[in-house]
């Protein structure tokens, strides 16, 4: 049976402004649409295991698989058994895991079997994942994303380099369109270097722009 609800994923680099946009966007969508919308945010600031694994990965890239597997499983759980009476705006989807995996494969001196197995495990998880109907890609200059990350001062992100933020930007630009084509997902790219208008994003999601 065809999926009965919209699932919109907000994607983009670390620090670009996803979590700031999502509540404003959902509020506007509820004003514009006859069907109710809910938001699904990552609990990054309140989840101690996420914080622990992120800090370990930031300090030691060899710990990346443990962190990535945790967050992939967590994201998959967030989207299980969604109530079809609502539409949803999601802060990051499993598409994000594919992009980050590509970036981390580029960083690895010689990817091993665990790296490659994990990448294909994400694709397998997408088979049971709800259809992402649209991706809103918030694109900004990597330096601005890096500066915003520093300004929010999350301790678990200490040590994240500008080089890594630049690599993530390149991987989003390169691989996100490919993933969306593979999964038949509409890709809506927004320039977020100086932030943007949540009303405009809502109208694009509802195909009014």
């Amino acid at each position: 049976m065809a999926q009965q609800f919209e699932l919109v994923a907000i994607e983009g680099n670390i620090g670009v402004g996803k979590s700031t946009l999502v509540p404003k966007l959902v509020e506007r969508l509820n004003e514009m649409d006859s069907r109710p919308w809910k938001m699904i945010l990552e609990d990054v600031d309140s989840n101690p295991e996420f914080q622990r694994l992120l800090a370990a990965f930031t300090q030691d890239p060899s710990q990346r698989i443990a962190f990535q597997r945790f967050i992939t499983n967590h994201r998959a759980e967030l989207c299980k058994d969604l109530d079809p009476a609502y539409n949803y705006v999601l802060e990051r989807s499993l598409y994000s895991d594919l992009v980050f995996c590509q970036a981390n494969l580029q960083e690895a001196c010689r990817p091993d079997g665990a790296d490659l197995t994990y990448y294909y495990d994400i694709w397998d998880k997408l088979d049971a994942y709800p259809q992402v109907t649209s991706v809103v890609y918030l694109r900004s200059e990597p330096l601005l994303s890096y500066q915003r990350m520093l300004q929010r001062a999350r301790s678990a992100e200490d040590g994240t380099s500008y080089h890594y933020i630049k690599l993530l930007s390149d991987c989003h630009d390169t691989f996100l369109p490919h993933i969306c084509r593979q999964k038949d997902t509409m890709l809506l790219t927004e320039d977020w270097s100086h932030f943007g208008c949540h009303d405009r994003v809502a109208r694009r999601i509802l195909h009014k722009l």
Side-chain angles (χ1 to χ4, degrees), residues 70-206:
F70 170 82
I71 194 60
T72 296
N73 290 333
H74 184 62
R75 285 184 182 134
E77 284 296 316
L78 285 174
C79 288
K80 282 183 67 176
D81 302 320
L82 293 177
D83 184 347
Y86 295 89
N87 294 319
Y88 298 89
V89 176
L90 172 66
E91 181 190 9
R92 292 201 188 279
S93 66
L94 291 186
Y95 294 9
S96 184
D97 295 84
L98 290 170
V99 171
F100 274 72
C101 192
Q102 289 282 359
N104 293 325
L105 286 171
Q106 295 299 315
E107 288 281 88
C109 294
R110 184 188 291 257
D112 60 19
D115 294 297
L116 296 174
T117 297
Y118 167 69
Y119 177 74
Y120 289 106
D121 283 349
I122 302 170
W123 282 106
D124 289 342
K125 280 188 177 296
L126 278 168
D127 291 338
Y129 198 68
Q131 170 69 30
V132 180
T133 50
S134 301
V135 160
V136 177
Y137 171 32
L138 304 182
R139 192 182 188 284
S140 76
E141 291 301 316
L143 182 58
L144 290 175
S145 293
Y146 179 67
Q147 290 169 340
R148 290 171 191 168
M149 181 196 71
L150 295 178
Q151 288 168 1
R152 72 187 183 190
R154 288 178 180 164
S155 59
E157 293 173 342
D158 287 350
T160 302
S161 68
Y162 170 70
H163 167 80
Y164 185 62
I165 297 296
K166 176 66 168 66
L167 175 60
L168 286 175
S169 178
D170 293 343
C171 286
H172 276 90
D173 287 346
T174 301
F175 295 110
L176 196 53
H178 168 73
I179 296 164
C180 288
R181 284 193 298 271
Q182 289 284 98
K183 300 303 293 182
D184 196 25
T185 297
M186 179 181 293
L187 176 61
L188 306 172
T189 300
E190 288 284 329
D191 182 359
W192 225 248
S193 290
H194 303 288
F195 299 106
C197 176
H198 64 281
D199 180 76
R200 170 186 161 82
V201 176
R203 290 180 183 279
R204 292 193 74 189
I205 289 169
L206 297 175

Side-chain angles (χ1 to χ4, degrees), residues 3-23:
Q3 182 171 296
Q4 299 175 11
F5 58 88
E6 299 283 325
L7 179 62
V8 177
I10 310 300
E11 302 287 357
N13 211 337
I14 296 169
V16 74
K18 296 179 296 297
S19 58
T20 301
L21 170 65
V22 169

